[in-house]
Amino acid sequence: MEQEKRGQWASNFGFLMAAIGSAIGLGNIWGFPYKMGANGGFIFLIIYLALVSFVGFATMLGELALGRKYGMGVIGTYRKISEKYTWIGWLGWLSGFFILAFYSVLGGFTVRYFFGFLLEMFSSGAGFGGMDSGAFFGSYIINAPVVLLYHAIFMGATIIIVMGGISGGIEKFSAIAMPTLFVMVIIVVIRSVTLEGSFVGLEFMFKPDIEAIKEIGLMRVLKTAAGQMFFSLSLGMGCMITYGSYLSKNENLEKNAMIIPIADTTFACLSALAVLPAVGAFIYQGVEGVSFGAGPGLLFVTLHRVFSVGMGGFMGNFFGAFFYFLVFIAAVTSSISLLEVCTAYFIDKRVAKGLSPDRKKITLIMGIIIFLLGFLPAMDGLGSGRAGGAMIDIPAVIFGMKEVRVAFDCWLDFYDMISEGVFMPLGAMLMSLIIGWKLKTTLIKEEVESTPGYQIRAYNFWDICFKFIVPLAMFFVLLGQLDDFFGLGIF
Ligand code: PFF
């Protein structure tokens, strides 16, 4: 009865599309391609695949199994395991809260760029395609009212979908969006690799570059790959616990826990094939201002230039609009999972008291609060601060901690440090320790085998992962993140 009130996936396919949708997002499109190219190419890919195999699959299985067993969101699940673990649930909840606040600001950027190219297609001279990419981006990010407007549009779309409920909103949207997304990315890949000079990008991406690894240091490369992996798979903050809690006992957990990471990794490789060959082609053709890079710069400066100057004309605008729409879809299917983590807590509380879930109201209120939390990352011009013409200052100035490095360069990084940098690896580490040593992997076995007629296939492998490999890997990521943010010089 309670389960009915909370909602359930209508089909395993729908669940898979939603979970894969959560995993595939900005992390795949702007994080993976560059990190792979810059951290050893093909060797990075092998390291990444090994991490997915030994850490990703098990953590995914652990989260899905805990969610389905206890039938609650992340806080409720940890509370049910033991009152004294409730705080671990809160770490996950807060991660979702902070990530969504900046994720939505960035999602808003994709909406802005989509509209920009779309308008340019029909009325050339709308000022978007012809502008210098860097100058456009620079002036856009310090224009707080416009950034906030697009942040609001993105958050509005997220709220509307989550309000629709599990099967009626999230699942319905993902079941259409995800297959479309795969088709779209393949179209962009074909366009990208057939450009003249695309081999420059392919080489950057795939060439096994031992020198780069030696220079960066194997430990740092490992840490980069591991951090990228669990952010990309939406692990460590209870997102998959929450999605797992809406899954019926009839569905095969072990299989699902493999399919989601495989689909996410495939998409990450496709994104790399969509982005880097196009960038490489225009480096080869000598287009000024195009170079390999990461993060917002890659997505909003380099690629803008690739479409507007490199491809140019109607086709450039068409592919520009097409590409940013693709990124928007990928981002929304992730943001809805982040909002669901936050709303599920309140819905669970109401359902436990025998009240109606009141999903619409809770989603709206949560969405608005997170939207407001996004004001800081939306208004500091991604680190430009007041000195750079933005409306507010960066945390380093406000906290008077200028000497503390990267973490405080902008509000976005600050939110990212709290969530992705600390709470998420800590959450994943604690979860696997709890499963491996306290609850014992037999609990996961029982849950997996609660599917009628199914017997767990890889029990010993999961057991070793939960007890040793995942906690160690996460400890390592945690250390590496702290090292990065505070410049401790450990690695
Ligand atoms: N996996 C998403 C991405 O790669 O962009 C980000 C994300 C979504 C992280 C949901 C965590 C989460 F719970």
Side-chain angles (χ1 to χ4, degrees):
M1 182 63 196
E2 277 199 2
Q3 224 35 42
E4 255 166 49
K5 273 192 180 175
R6 295 179 74 244
Q8 255 202 348
W9 305 110
S11 70
N12 195 50
F13 174 77
F15 156 73
L16 279 175
M17 290 303 106
I20 293 169
S22 167
I24 292 174
L26 294 174
N28 299 58
I29 299 169
W30 86 21
F32 185 81
Y34 175 77
K35 285 181 190 163
M36 175 168 161
N39 288 279
F42 192 67
I43 306 175
F44 180 86
L45 183 63
I46 302 289
I47 294 174
Y48 188 86
L49 292 177
L51 281 164
V52 170
S53 309
F54 290 101
V55 181
F57 288 147
T59 317
M60 184 65 72
L61 179 69
E63 288 208 15
L64 293 178
L66 288 185
R68 190 171 78 173
K69 173 163 180 62
Y70 295 106
M72 299 206 107
V74 62
I75 299 174
T77 293
Y78 278 103
R79 174 169 290 144
K80 272 197 176 170
I81 295 173
S82 163
E83 277 289 332
K84 67 175 194 272
Y85 294 147
T86 313
W87 66 275
I88 305 174
W90 276 105
L91 287 187
W93 191 92
L94 281 169
S95 301
F97 194 65
F98 279 103
I99 293 175
L100 184 53
F102 72 75
Y103 209 85
S104 169
V105 174
L106 296 171
F109 285 22
T110 65
V111 181
R112 169 70 188 96
Y113 274 62
F114 164 63
F115 282 144
F117 276 114
L118 193 69
L119 287 178
E120 194 76 13
M121 241 163 79
F122 298 109
S123 64
S124 67
F128 184 76
M131 272 189 86
D132 175 74
S133 310
F136 177 81
F137 185 65
S139 62
Y140 171 66
I141 56 176
I142 57 172
N143 192 346
V146 181
V147 174
L148 286 174
L149 171 73
Y150 285 100
H151 169 41
I153 294 175
F154 187 87
M155 188 59 102
T158 306
I159 293 174
I160 290 171
I161 299 168
V162 177
M163 271 182 168
I166 299 305
S167 57
I170 299 177
E171 179 171 352
K172 259 202 185 130
F173 181 77
S174 310
I176 299 170
M178 294 317 292
T180 314
L181 194 64
F182 269 90
V183 174
M184 285 178 88
V185 80
I186 287 170
I187 294 174
V188 182
V189 169
I190 293 172
R191 173 70 283 214
S192 179
V193 297
T194 51
L195 287 166
E196 189 199 343
S198 61
F199 68 89
V200 174
L202 290 170
E203 214 179 270
F204 175 71
M205 220 173 121
F206 286 119
K207 204 180 105 208
D209 192 351
I210 302 246
E211 283 313 308
I213 295 192
K214 274 195 198 145
E215 205 173 294
I216 300 166
L218 183 63
M219 287 305 175
R220 183 160 284 278
V221 171
L222 269 171
K223 186 232 113 190
T224 304
Q228 169 68 24
M229 184 218 56
F230 83 95
F231 183 78
S232 186
L233 291 180
S234 305
L235 294 173
M237 50 156 285
C239 178
M240 294 299 168
I241 293 183
T242 311
Y243 271 17
S245 73
Y246 305 123
L247 195 58
S248 121
K249 295 275 185 206
N250 291 326
E251 311 305 349
N252 183 330
L253 284 186
E254 235 178 358
K255 200 162 97 197
N256 284 340
M258 314 279 280
I259 293 176
I260 301 162
I262 290 173
D264 182 71
T265 309
T266 307
F267 192 89
C269 292
L270 287 173
S271 303
L273 282 171
V275 169
L276 296 178
V279 175
F282 295 112
I283 293 178
Y284 175 77
Q285 292 174 27
V287 175
E288 222 182 288
V290 176
S291 63
F292 295 118
L298 171 66
L299 199 50
F300 298 110
V301 182
T302 310
L303 284 171
H304 177 268
R305 217 170 159 74
V306 161
F307 296 119
S308 62
V309 182
M311 290 188 192
F314 181 83
M315 271 331 241
N317 291 327
F318 172 78
F319 271 103
F322 194 82
F323 177 78
Y324 286 106
F325 185 67
L326 177 162
V327 185
F328 164 72
I329 298 277
V332 165
T333 49
S334 296
S335 66
I336 52 183
S337 68
L338 290 161
L339 184 55
E340 181 60 27
V341 168
C342 297
T343 53
Y345 169 62
F346 296 101
I347 292 176
D348 285 351
K349 264 180 94 154
R350 288 184 59 87
V351 170
K353 283 187 195 147
L355 301 168
S356 71
D358 230 347
R359 167 175 284 275
K360 285 198 167 67
K361 199 167 98 197
I362 291 173
T363 306
L364 183 65
I365 296 173
M366 247 358 275
I368 291 175
I369 295 175
I370 298 174
F371 169 68
L372 294 175
L373 190 72
F375 270 48
L376 294 176
M379 289 166 77
D380 74 348
L382 286 189
S384 311
R386 287 171 72 93
M391 226 159 163
I392 60 165
D393 257 323
I394 57 174
V397 173
I398 294 175
F399 297 152
M401 295 170 80
K402 283 204 204 77
E403 65 285 0
V404 181
R405 327 179 315 155
V406 213
F408 302 105
D409 273 358
C410 66
W411 282 101
L412 192 151
D413 285 350
F414 182 68
Y415 284 15
D416 187 43
M417 181 202 68
I418 298 174
S419 48
E420 190 191 342
V422 183
F423 291 174
M424 285 171 75
L426 193 61
M429 185 176 86
L430 294 171
M431 182 192 81
S432 61
L433 286 174
I434 290 173
I435 292 179
W437 299 98
K438 169 136 175 96
L439 300 172
K440 308 282 190 254
T441 312
T442 43
L443 180 115
I444 301 297
K445 178 177 184 302
E446 274 163 28
E447 187 51 41
V448 168
E449 293 186 346
S450 67
T451 299
Y454 188 76
Q455 278 210 329
I456 198 161
R457 302 269 163 87
Y459 178 80
N460 291 331
F461 174 70
W462 303 128
D463 196 38
I464 295 172
C465 290
F466 288 127
K467 283 199 172 97
F468 306 106
I469 306 179
V470 180
L472 258 172
M474 288 302 118
F475 175 71
F476 197 59
V477 172
L478 196 58
L479 208 63
Q481 301 278 32
L482 293 175
D483 184 34
D484 251 8
F485 284 121
F486 296 106
L488 304 175
I490 304 174
F491 289 103

